[in-house]
Amino acid sequence: MRIEKCWFCSSSIYPGHGIQFVRNDAKIFRFCRSKCHKNFKMKRNPRKVKWTKAYRRVHGKDMTQDSTFELERKRNRPERYDRNVAENTLKAIKKIDKVRVAREARHHAQRMKGNKVSEMKAAVKELEQSIHMVKAPIALKEDPSLTLPKLKVKVVQPAQAEDQMEE
Amino acid sequence: MIQPQTLLNVADNSGARELMCIRILGASNRRYAHIGDVIVAVIKEAVPNMPLERSEVIRAVIVRTCKELKRENGMRIRYDDNAAVVIDQEGNPKGTRVLVQSPGIERIEFHKNRLISSRSIIVVDEIMIE
């Protein structure tokens, strides 16, 4: 039993799921669910379909090259069962997963790094250009800074309402 | 899901190119045939100068269907076309080479254990060990 990768979205295919399509040139396409299968039949290119792993890798949204991927490569030679090897492999899998997840998080943080700065810049620009939307021109004349005007709001006393309810 | 009037490609070198299913063997009112079932077919197109000729009625076993083959372990396998291999009354293949893309082949072997006999050489493009 082997957990395959979906040809379209690159997710894992567990036993009992999905369809395998054998083309007449003997190439086998495995799909994890009918969504991927139908997209394939529509002749869509996974590199252009946004939710697939192929797209994310091509467009730099996800990590492409990392040493943790080398450890997960497909091996076709069956290994003789050795209890120690099996135990160590299971431990290693957990550790490698942790490392990989940490690296992916770092990659994501790196990708999102410039966001706050650019958001601030955009906000400052918008304030300069659209100050007339929130501050009347007369107020702007009196106080030419870009600070928003302070509004005085009257607070209705809730105690009176409660007394009425009690009665 | 092969039924009468279905055209099938031929996956061996027996001389036929295209078959049309006439009848599905096994039960009196059997509707559909799947991979591994034997059908009676008529040859619609044949390679010239071969023992099999056009409009000959022969038997064939289905080796590929566009409808998925369902395995007990939950695997579903679909091919690109419908194809059959020409056999004789006993179940021996008429051709000498069978061209099958492998994932369905174990099932044929199970059903007609004489199909994959010493008489036929199997030319497969990819062998998958399940």
Side-chain angles (χ1 to χ4, degrees):
Chain A
M1 189 207 82
R2 167 170 267 173
I3 297 175
E4 307 282 356
K5 291 279 173 198
C6 175
W7 185 85
F8 199 81
C9 65
S10 314
S11 64
S12 312
I13 307 176
Y14 282 85
H17 289 264
I19 289 186
Q20 286 181 29
F21 171 59
V22 182
R23 207 164 57 181
N24 278 346
D25 60 358
K27 178 149 178 158
I28 301 178
F29 297 88
R30 296 170 214 276
F31 304 105
C32 59
R33 55 198 195 280
S34 64
K35 177 178 181 181
C36 303
H37 189 32
K38 283 176 184 163
N39 271 296
F40 173 78
K41 285 198 265 186
M42 269 196 265
K43 297 191 176 179
R44 284 196 180 156
N45 186 356
R47 285 164 185 242
K48 291 191 170 183
V49 178
K50 293 237 167 102
W51 49 271
T52 58
K53 199 78 174 163
Y55 175 94
R56 306 209 83 215
R57 294 227 170 101
V58 161
H59 288 77
K61 314 279 185 191
D62 277 348
M63 260 192 337
T64 34
Q65 284 179 356
D66 196 38
S67 47
T68 44
F69 294 148
E70 301 294 311
L71 298 157
E72 226 183 286
R73 243 184 315 130
K74 183 173 176 177
R75 293 165 184 87
N76 279 321
R77 297 172 81 221
E79 299 271 322
R80 181 163 289 161
Y81 180 74
D82 181 10
R83 187 180 168 154
N84 291 327
V85 170
E87 206 178 306
N88 290 336
T89 309
L90 286 170
K91 284 190 197 160
I93 288 174
K94 280 198 180 162
K95 202 161 187 192
I96 292 166
D97 266 358
K98 225 166 78 168
V99 169
R100 194 191 69 226
V101 164
R103 287 187 189 178
E104 278 179 352
R106 206 196 317 148
H107 180 270
H108 186 261
Q110 188 83 351
R111 193 158 66 86
M112 297 292 161
K113 216 163 68 163
N115 270 7
K116 275 218 164 140
V117 173
S118 56
E119 271 177 23
M120 286 290 277
K121 276 190 186 170
V124 166
K125 195 169 181 187
E126 192 187 344
L127 192 58
E128 281 176 28
Q129 287 179 343
S130 319
I131 190 68
H132 60 276
M133 301 270 267
V134 286
K135 201 167 177 181
I138 300 174
L140 199 56
K141 264 195 196 167
E142 291 174 5
D143 178 21
S145 74
L146 285 174
T147 50
L148 298 175
K150 286 192 183 164
L151 298 167
K152 290 200 175 170
V153 176
K154 227 181 179 182
V155 176
V156 174
Q157 292 297 325
Q160 291 168 355
E162 274 179 48
D163 288 341
Q164 282 173 354
M165 290 289 280
E166 277 181 82
E167 276 181 74
Chain B
M1 278 171 81
I2 310 296
Q3 57 181 353
Q5 298 287 312
T6 305
L7 295 172
L8 299 130
N9 294 330
V10 175
D12 61 8
N13 62 350
S14 55
R17 275 269 173 77
E18 200 172 63
L19 306 171
M20 182 166 84
C21 172
I22 296 177
R23 187 83 186 170
I24 299 166
L25 298 175
S28 76
N29 204 8
R30 190 145 169 205
R31 287 189 168 77
Y32 307 114
H34 299 279
I35 293 181
D37 296 337
V38 180
I39 58 165
V40 180
V42 66
I43 298 175
K44 283 293 190 183
E45 201 185 304
V47 172
N49 305 325
M50 289 281 245
L52 288 180
E53 283 177 352
R54 195 177 172 282
S55 59
E56 230 182 273
V57 175
I58 42 96
R59 290 192 177 198
V61 65
I62 295 170
V63 299
R64 293 200 294 270
T65 49
C66 285
K67 181 70 183 165
E68 310 86 55
L69 165 68
K70 294 186 201 177
R71 288 259 180 85
E72 287 79 24
N73 57 5
M75 209 195 304
R76 270 132 179 73
I77 301 164
R78 209 182 85 90
Y79 289 90
D80 210 2
D81 63 347
N82 302 310
V85 163
V86 178
I87 60 177
D88 62 12
Q89 293 279 30
E90 283 92 56
N92 294 321
K94 278 247 176 103
T96 52
R97 283 168 148 199
V98 171
L99 210 93
V100 181
Q101 286 84 6
S102 180
I105 200 173
E106 295 131 55
R107 185 151 162 188
I108 305 165
E109 198 170 344
F110 174 81
H111 179 88
K112 280 272 175 212
N113 46 20
R114 282 208 251 158
L115 175 62
I116 318 298
S117 68
S118 56
R119 262 187 63 188
S120 59
I121 308 158
I122 296 160
V123 177
V124 283
D125 296 294
E126 195 190 273
I127 300 175
M128 239 175 47
I129 302 169
E130 299 288 337

